[in-house]
Amino acid sequence: MSKQIASLILLTLALAVGPVAAQAAGGTGQQKATGSKLKNPKASKKPNFKVSHYQDWEVRCPKSNKSKARCEMTQLINNPNNGKPIMRVVMGYPQQAKGAAMIFITPLGTRLAPGMKLNVDGGKNHNFPYQICLKQGCRADYPIRGKLKRKMKHGKNAHVQIVGPRGKKINLKVSLQGFTAANNKIRP
């Protein structure tokens, strides 16, 4: 097994329990989607994490350190064709992994075989597979280290390419505005 595949498997397991990853499908994790509206059946229950904003990134930190969970940064990406949410990006520093990793959660129906492509400001493509599909969507994880992390800190946009259910390539822009400040907040 290659080092990269082993690393991705470890990242998948490590990130599976993060505060944002566990609630990646919606706002606080307490909302249920019904049609196009989000309803909160437990409006009196508050989220168990603190939220702060760094330009286009949201940072979520657990209110209690009892779980030993770490802070994560996230961004919801809209479909450029209709403006509706299509992907959530989550970055964290899992305790079991060396360095940062990003989780990309896309809708069910995304074509899995082509995997996902990521580049910063039109640079080198990083190709990687999906790990799993659950009711919240399909998930692909990728380590963010070295040159890629430096490019993200100094870049304007990351570009992600997924393939929709009818085989059409969908190019999504992930803003890097506030990336460095959010990363500094979540870095252990």
Side-chain angles (χ1 to χ4, degrees):
M1 184 182 312
S2 77
K3 273 187 170 180
Q4 187 175 15
I5 293 173
S7 178
L8 289 173
I9 291 169
L10 179 62
L11 291 174
T12 299
L13 295 172
L15 291 169
V17 295
V20 176
Q23 300 168 348
T28 64
Q30 301 165 359
Q31 299 170 329
K32 291 185 179 177
T34 54
S36 62
K37 295 182 181 179
L38 291 176
K39 294 190 177 187
N40 190 342
K42 299 177 184 176
S44 63
K45 189 174 179 184
K46 294 182 180 181
N48 58 355
F49 50 86
K50 295 177 268 183
V51 177
S52 53
H53 295 273
Y54 298 86
Q55 291 177 302
D56 293 333
W57 289 88
E58 181 176 281
V59 171
R60 295 181 184 186
C61 295
K63 285 184 177 177
S64 163
N65 274 344
K66 291 178 185 176
S67 68
K68 296 186 182 177
R70 294 185 176 178
C71 296
E72 296 172 336
M73 55 196 270
T74 183
Q75 189 176 142
L76 187 63
I77 309 302
N78 293 326
N79 186 326
N81 298 324
N82 62 21
K84 293 182 181 178
I86 189 170
M87 179 175 72
R88 178 162 303 272
V89 180
V90 181
M91 187 169 116
Y93 287 83
Q95 294 175 354
Q96 303 89 333
K98 295 178 183 175
M102 276 192 169
I103 300 172
F104 300 86
I105 301 171
T106 62
L108 294 173
T110 301
R111 294 248 175 129
L112 305 178
M116 186 176 283
K117 293 180 181 178
L118 167 71
N119 73 59
V120 177
D121 293 330
K124 175 188 172 191
N125 271 332
H126 299 266
N127 302 309
F128 51 104
Y130 287 91
Q131 275 73 41
I132 191 168
C133 291
L134 300 170
K135 66 181 179 179
Q136 294 88 353
C138 296
R139 176 180 165 158
D141 302 346
Y142 197 75
I144 306 297
R145 300 185 184 118
K147 287 182 185 179
L148 177 59
K149 189 172 178 184
R150 282 189 295 279
K151 286 184 178 183
M152 293 181 100
K153 285 181 174 183
H154 300 290
K156 186 175 179 180
N157 293 299
H159 303 275
V160 174
Q161 185 180 83
I162 63 174
V163 179
R166 294 189 179 101
K168 182 180 176 188
K169 292 178 182 176
I170 303 170
N171 296 303
L172 304 170
K173 182 172 74 171
V174 179
S175 171
L176 297 175
Q177 299 269 338
F179 178 89
T180 300
N183 179 63
N184 289 341
K185 176 70 176 173
I186 69 166
R187 189 176 59 221

